[in-house]
Amino acid sequence: MKLYFSPLACSLAARIALYEAGAEATYVEVDPKTKRTADGADFSAVHPLGLVPALEADGELLTENAAVLQFIAARFPAARLAPEDPAGRARLQQWLGFIGTELHKALFVPLLDPDAPAEVRAYALAKAASRLGWAEGQLGGREFLLGSFSVADAYLFAVLNWSAVTPVDLKAWPALAAYREGLTRRPSVARAFAEEFDLYRRHLARHGAALPAAVAEARA
Ligand SMILES: N[C@@H](CCC(=O)N[C@@H](CS)C(=O)NCC(=O)O)C(=O)O
């Protein structure tokens, strides 16, 4: 298997899932600015949309977080990364859909995009209270979104990390903040996050950018 990823992007979730599964995989870094892989190849030739994650498996390319994560879960059932019963499976889909649309795309992408107009950012930020408030309520004080760790937790962790570089302050949602903090102690998550944090730092240095102070603090 080959995972195309960018450091600390949503593709972090697939890396976490692969680590959970103990899967053999090759990790190919994609520069989100140049769309070049680490060896200089054009990632757009792999995935014309230039989006990560993209997972090469069995000679095929799979894209979209929800599909990639569920594929990894299905490929490595012993890791128990997805419920198997219909209700649990639907609940997993519910979370993957919510995280992908309401949080990832609707809330965080406009806040992370330096080219997004101020009005667009304000429009996105206005959704934070209801979307994160709903997730906070659903989570309560639980450690995981479902009964045990699943690929939805990996995806939500990847997305919540972005609060460090956006005006979304997780302190307003203490259950979500505690949930994220708790996941940082999980071995697969800690390993994936530490590795990608270093790669992110190197990516910034290559582009002559400094590590944002809030990110450095969050890591310290
Ligand atoms: N709908 C896609 C979205 C993936 C996505 O937005 N990936 C981001 C990283 S988190 C990306 O590759 N962005 C690069 C770009 O927009 O050019 C999915 O769920 O996989």
Side-chain angles (χ1 to χ4, degrees), residues 74-114:
R75 184 48 101 67
F76 302 99
R80 307 180 73 83
L81 295 170
E84 282 172 7
D85 63 295
R89 201 55 197 234
R91 197 60 77 188
L92 176 75
Q93 298 267 9
Q94 175 195 297
W95 277 112
L96 293 173
F98 173 79
I99 297 162
T101 58
E102 302 300 330
L103 299 183
H104 179 173
K105 284 293 173 182
L107 175 58
F108 281 106
V109 165
L111 299 178
L112 291 166
D113 184 349

Side-chain angles (χ1 to χ4, degrees), residues 122-185:
Y123 178 79
L125 192 56
K127 296 189 184 300
S130 68
R131 297 335 190 245
L132 293 171
W134 182 80
E136 170 98 352
Q138 292 289 310
L139 190 61
R142 285 184 293 119
E143 205 182 346
F144 306 117
L145 294 172
L146 305 174
S148 57
F149 182 86
S150 73
V151 289
D153 295 302
Y155 192 11
L156 185 53
F157 176 78
V159 167
L160 290 180
N161 283 333
W162 302 333
S163 59
V165 285
T166 64
V168 173
D169 187 351
L170 279 191
K171 285 197 203 79
W173 299 281
L176 277 179
Y179 161 83
R180 187 204 158 273
E181 183 62 27
L183 286 174
T184 61
R185 291 189 284 278

Side-chain angles (χ1 to χ4, degrees), residues 6 9-11 32 35 49-53 63-66 104-105 109 155 162:
S6 298
C10 52
S11 45
K35 301 293 176 203
L49 295 182
L51 297 171
V52 293
T63 62
E64 295 296 314
N65 277 289
H104 179 173
K105 284 293 173 182
V109 165
Y155 192 11
W162 302 333

